[in-house]
PDB file of all heavy atoms in Angstrom:
ATOM      1  N   TYR B 116     102.553 117.536  95.229  1.00 98.00           N
ATOM      2  CA  TYR B 116     102.213 117.123  96.598  1.00 98.00           C
ATOM      3  C   TYR B 116     101.622 118.268  97.421  1.00 98.00           C
ATOM      4  O   TYR B 116     101.812 119.441  97.105  1.00 98.00           O
ATOM      5  CB  TYR B 116     103.481 116.646  97.316  1.00 98.00           C
ATOM      6  CG  TYR B 116     104.070 115.352  96.814  1.00 98.00           C
ATOM      7  CD1 TYR B 116     105.313 115.336  96.193  1.00 98.00           C
ATOM      8  CD2 TYR B 116     103.407 114.137  96.982  1.00 98.00           C
ATOM      9  CE1 TYR B 116     105.885 114.148  95.747  1.00 98.00           C
ATOM     10  CE2 TYR B 116     103.968 112.938  96.547  1.00 98.00           C
ATOM     11  CZ  TYR B 116     105.207 112.952  95.932  1.00 98.00           C
ATOM     12  OH  TYR B 116     105.761 111.781  95.505  1.00 98.00           O
ATOM     13  N   ASP B 117     100.977 117.870  98.494  1.00 96.00           N
ATOM     14  CA  ASP B 117     100.536 118.817  99.524  1.00 96.00           C
ATOM     15  C   ASP B 117     101.762 119.253 100.329  1.00 96.00           C
ATOM     16  O   ASP B 117     102.328 118.458 101.075  1.00 96.00           O
ATOM     17  CB  ASP B 117      99.516 118.109 100.426  1.00 96.00           C
ATOM     18  CG  ASP B 117      99.074 118.974 101.591  1.00 96.00           C
ATOM     19  OD1 ASP B 117      99.621 120.090 101.777  1.00 96.00           O
ATOM     20  OD2 ASP B 117      98.183 118.528 102.334  1.00 96.00           O
ATOM     21  N   TRP B 118     102.146 120.513 100.177  1.00 95.00           N
ATOM     22  CA  TRP B 118     103.369 120.997 100.812  1.00 95.00           C
ATOM     23  C   TRP B 118     103.209 121.310 102.302  1.00 95.00           C
ATOM     24  O   TRP B 118     104.116 121.869 102.912  1.00 95.00           O
ATOM     25  CB  TRP B 118     103.904 122.220 100.064  1.00 95.00           C
ATOM     26  CG  TRP B 118     104.641 121.856  98.803  1.00 95.00           C
ATOM     27  CD1 TRP B 118     104.737 120.623  98.241  1.00 95.00           C
ATOM     28  CD2 TRP B 118     105.389 122.744  97.960  1.00 95.00           C
ATOM     29  NE1 TRP B 118     105.499 120.676  97.097  1.00 95.00           N
ATOM     30  CE2 TRP B 118     105.907 121.968  96.892  1.00 95.00           C
ATOM     31  CE3 TRP B 118     105.674 124.118  97.993  1.00 95.00           C
ATOM     32  CZ2 TRP B 118     106.695 122.532  95.880  1.00 95.00           C
ATOM     33  CZ3 TRP B 118     106.449 124.673  96.976  1.00 95.00           C
ATOM     34  CH2 TRP B 118     106.959 123.884  95.939  1.00 95.00           C
ATOM     35  N   HIS B 120     103.068 118.902 104.158  1.00 95.00           N
ATOM     36  CA  HIS B 120     103.944 117.816 104.605  1.00 95.00           C
ATOM     37  C   HIS B 120     105.380 118.185 104.239  1.00 95.00           C
ATOM     38  O   HIS B 120     105.615 118.797 103.203  1.00 95.00           O
ATOM     39  CB  HIS B 120     103.573 116.505 103.909  1.00 95.00           C
ATOM     40  CG  HIS B 120     102.167 116.054 104.188  1.00 95.00           C
ATOM     41  ND1 HIS B 120     101.873 114.965 104.969  1.00 95.00           N
ATOM     42  CD2 HIS B 120     100.979 116.561 103.797  1.00 95.00           C
ATOM     43  CE1 HIS B 120     100.551 114.826 105.047  1.00 95.00           C
ATOM     44  NE2 HIS B 120      99.992 115.775 104.343  1.00 95.00           N
ATOM     45  N   ARG B 122     108.104 115.750 104.377  1.00 96.00           N
ATOM     46  CA  ARG B 122     108.684 114.611 103.661  1.00 96.00           C
ATOM     47  C   ARG B 122     107.633 114.102 102.677  1.00 96.00           C
ATOM     48  O   ARG B 122     106.543 113.683 103.053  1.00 96.00           O
ATOM     49  CB  ARG B 122     109.074 113.503 104.641  1.00 96.00           C
ATOM     50  CG  ARG B 122     109.753 112.310 103.966  1.00 96.00           C
ATOM     51  CD  ARG B 122     110.239 111.295 104.984  1.00 96.00           C
ATOM     52  NE  ARG B 122     110.805 110.132 104.351  1.00 96.00           N
ATOM     53  CZ  ARG B 122     110.100 109.091 103.888  1.00 96.00           C
ATOM     54  NH1 ARG B 122     108.783 109.090 103.998  1.00 96.00           N
ATOM     55  NH2 ARG B 122     110.705 108.072 103.317  1.00 96.00           N
ATOM     56  N   LEU B 123     107.950 114.177 101.408  1.00 97.00           N
ATOM     57  CA  LEU B 123     106.980 113.913 100.351  1.00 97.00           C
ATOM     58  C   LEU B 123     107.227 112.513  99.794  1.00 97.00           C
ATOM     59  O   LEU B 123     108.277 112.237  99.218  1.00 97.00           O
ATOM     60  CB  LEU B 123     107.129 114.975  99.259  1.00 97.00           C
ATOM     61  CG  LEU B 123     107.042 116.428  99.790  1.00 97.00           C
ATOM     62  CD1 LEU B 123     107.332 117.436  98.686  1.00 97.00           C
ATOM     63  CD2 LEU B 123     105.703 116.717 100.444  1.00 97.00           C
ATOM     64  N   ALA B 124     106.236 111.635  99.988  1.00 98.00           N
ATOM     65  CA  ALA B 124     106.390 110.233  99.590  1.00 98.00           C
ATOM     66  C   ALA B 124     105.280 109.850  98.631  1.00 98.00           C
ATOM     67  O   ALA B 124     104.112 110.217  98.826  1.00 98.00           O
ATOM     68  CB  ALA B 124     106.373 109.333 100.818  1.00 98.00           C
ATOM     69  N   GLU B 125     105.630 109.074  97.616  1.00 97.00           N
ATOM     70  CA  GLU B 125     104.702 108.767  96.525  1.00 97.00           C
ATOM     71  C   GLU B 125     103.426 108.096  97.024  1.00 97.00           C
ATOM     72  O   GLU B 125     102.327 108.380  96.543  1.00 97.00           O
ATOM     73  CB  GLU B 125     105.369 107.859  95.484  1.00 97.00           C
ATOM     74  CG  GLU B 125     106.621 108.435  94.824  1.00 97.00           C
ATOM     75  CD  GLU B 125     107.892 108.059  95.572  1.00 97.00           C
ATOM     76  OE1 GLU B 125     107.801 107.657  96.760  1.00 97.00           O
ATOM     77  OE2 GLU B 125     108.976 108.163  94.972  1.00 97.00           O
ATOM     78  N   ALA B 126     103.572 107.145  97.962  1.00 96.00           N
ATOM     79  CA  ALA B 126     102.421 106.316  98.328  1.00 96.00           C
ATOM     80  C   ALA B 126     101.538 106.958  99.388  1.00 96.00           C
ATOM     81  O   ALA B 126     100.373 106.581  99.518  1.00 96.00           O
ATOM     82  CB  ALA B 126     102.885 104.950  98.816  1.00 96.00           C
ATOM     83  N   THR B 127     102.065 107.913 100.116  1.00 97.00           N
ATOM     84  CA  THR B 127     101.324 108.377 101.294  1.00 97.00           C
ATOM     85  C   THR B 127     101.001 109.876 101.310  1.00 97.00           C
ATOM     86  O   THR B 127     100.031 110.282 101.948  1.00 97.00           O
ATOM     87  CB  THR B 127     102.104 108.047 102.587  1.00 97.00           C
ATOM     88  OG1 THR B 127     103.423 108.582 102.455  1.00 97.00           O
ATOM     89  CG2 THR B 127     102.187 106.538 102.788  1.00 97.00           C
ATOM     90  N   THR B 128     101.789 110.699 100.647  1.00 97.00           N
ATOM     91  CA  THR B 128     101.519 112.139 100.714  1.00 97.00           C
ATOM     92  C   THR B 128     100.403 112.503  99.744  1.00 97.00           C
ATOM     93  O   THR B 128     100.457 112.139  98.566  1.00 97.00           O
ATOM     94  CB  THR B 128     102.791 112.943 100.364  1.00 97.00           C
ATOM     95  OG1 THR B 128     103.861 112.481 101.169  1.00 97.00           O
ATOM     96  CG2 THR B 128     102.574 114.428 100.590  1.00 97.00           C
ATOM     97  N   PRO B 129      99.365 113.213 100.221  1.00 95.00           N
ATOM     98  CA  PRO B 129      98.270 113.582  99.319  1.00 95.00           C
ATOM     99  C   PRO B 129      98.740 114.502  98.194  1.00 95.00           C
ATOM    100  O   PRO B 129      99.609 115.358  98.408  1.00 95.00           O
ATOM    101  CB  PRO B 129      97.285 114.334 100.231  1.00 95.00           C
ATOM    102  CG  PRO B 129      97.708 114.054 101.626  1.00 95.00           C
ATOM    103  CD  PRO B 129      99.153 113.695 101.600  1.00 95.00           C
ATOM    104  N   CYS B 130      98.163 114.291  97.023  1.00 95.00           N
ATOM    105  CA  CYS B 130      98.445 115.173  95.888  1.00 95.00           C
ATOM    106  C   CYS B 130      97.359 116.221  95.805  1.00 95.00           C
ATOM    107  O   CYS B 130      96.378 116.062  95.078  1.00 95.00           O
ATOM    108  CB  CYS B 130      98.550 114.360  94.605  1.00 95.00           C
ATOM    109  SG  CYS B 130     100.074 113.416  94.532  1.00 95.00           S
ATOM    110  N   THR B 131      97.510 117.272  96.594  1.00 93.00           N
ATOM    111  CA  THR B 131      96.584 118.399  96.590  1.00 93.00           C
ATOM    112  C   THR B 131      97.430 119.654  96.417  1.00 93.00           C
ATOM    113  O   THR B 131      97.752 120.324  97.396  1.00 93.00           O
ATOM    114  CB  THR B 131      95.771 118.461  97.898  1.00 93.00           C
ATOM    115  OG1 THR B 131      96.690 118.299  99.002  1.00 93.00           O
ATOM    116  CG2 THR B 131      94.755 117.350  97.957  1.00 93.00           C
ATOM    117  N   ARG B 162     108.968 112.622  89.560  1.00 98.00           N
ATOM    118  CA  ARG B 162     108.651 113.906  90.192  1.00 98.00           C
ATOM    119  C   ARG B 162     109.948 114.621  90.559  1.00 98.00           C
ATOM    120  O   ARG B 162     110.640 114.226  91.504  1.00 98.00           O
ATOM    121  CB  ARG B 162     107.777 113.699  91.426  1.00 98.00           C
ATOM    122  CG  ARG B 162     106.366 113.258  91.066  1.00 98.00           C
ATOM    123  CD  ARG B 162     105.420 113.428  92.249  1.00 98.00           C
ATOM    124  NE  ARG B 162     104.065 113.068  91.837  1.00 98.00           N
ATOM    125  CZ  ARG B 162     103.339 112.103  92.389  1.00 98.00           C
ATOM    126  NH1 ARG B 162     103.804 111.407  93.412  1.00 98.00           N
ATOM    127  NH2 ARG B 162     102.126 111.845  91.956  1.00 98.00           N
TER     128      ARG B 162
END
Side-chain angles (χ1 to χ4, degrees):
Chain B
Y116 291 114
D117 176 355
W118 281 7
H120 299 251
R122 183 175 176 277
L123 306 174
E125 300 91 342
T127 54
T128 308
C130 287
T131 47
R162 290 196 177 120

